């Protein structure tokens, strides 16, 4: 069984990767702002709209992932019970 520090370590690494990704997006946007400011402003306006349009697909993906996790848990339940004996 994994230790509790494993999960906190993994979440810490995930947060650091998310921060690095956000910083990279910001730096790329700054470069675009210097090179072609009208395109950078259009991207700044359209990004939230595209995010809102893609939100239902993200929700469906989370629901499908949860359903598949449930199916795999039901399938592997006998194996985990036998292994616990």
């Amino acid at each position: 069984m994994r230790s509790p520090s494993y999960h906190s370590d993994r979440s810490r690494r995930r947060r650091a990767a998310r921060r690095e990704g956000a910083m990279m997006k910001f730096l790329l946007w700054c470069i675009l702002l210097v090179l072609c400011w009208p395109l950078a402003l259009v991207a700044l306006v359209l990004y939230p709209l595209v995010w809102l349009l893609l939100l239902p697909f993200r929700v469906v993906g989370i629901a499908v992932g949860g359903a598949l996790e449930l199916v795999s848990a039901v399938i592997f339940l006998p194996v985990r019970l036998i292994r616990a004996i």
Side-chain angles (χ1 to χ4, degrees):
M1 184 148 191
R2 294 182 179 146
S3 66
S5 65
Y6 171 78
H7 295 293
S8 62
D9 209 29
R10 188 170 62 175
S11 65
R12 195 176 306 124
R13 276 188 263 127
R14 199 177 294 155
R15 273 184 272 142
R18 195 177 305 140
R19 257 187 262 124
E20 288 175 3
M23 181 59 76
M24 184 60 71
K25 287 177 189 176
F26 177 70
L27 290 175
L28 287 173
W29 184 81
C30 286
I31 292 170
L32 185 63
L33 182 65
V34 169
L35 295 177
C36 182
W37 64 267
L39 187 60
L41 294 179
V42 167
L44 192 65
V45 169
L46 288 182
Y47 184 78
L49 297 175
V50 171
W51 186 85
L52 282 174
L53 286 174
L54 295 178
L55 193 59
F57 296 107
R58 182 178 292 179
V59 171
V60 168
I62 290 170
V64 169
L68 290 176
E69 286 288 325
L70 178 65
V71 168
S72 70
V74 168
I75 289 173
F76 289 121
L77 180 63
V79 175
R80 295 182 88 182
L81 289 175
I82 291 172
R83 194 180 298 159
I85 294 177

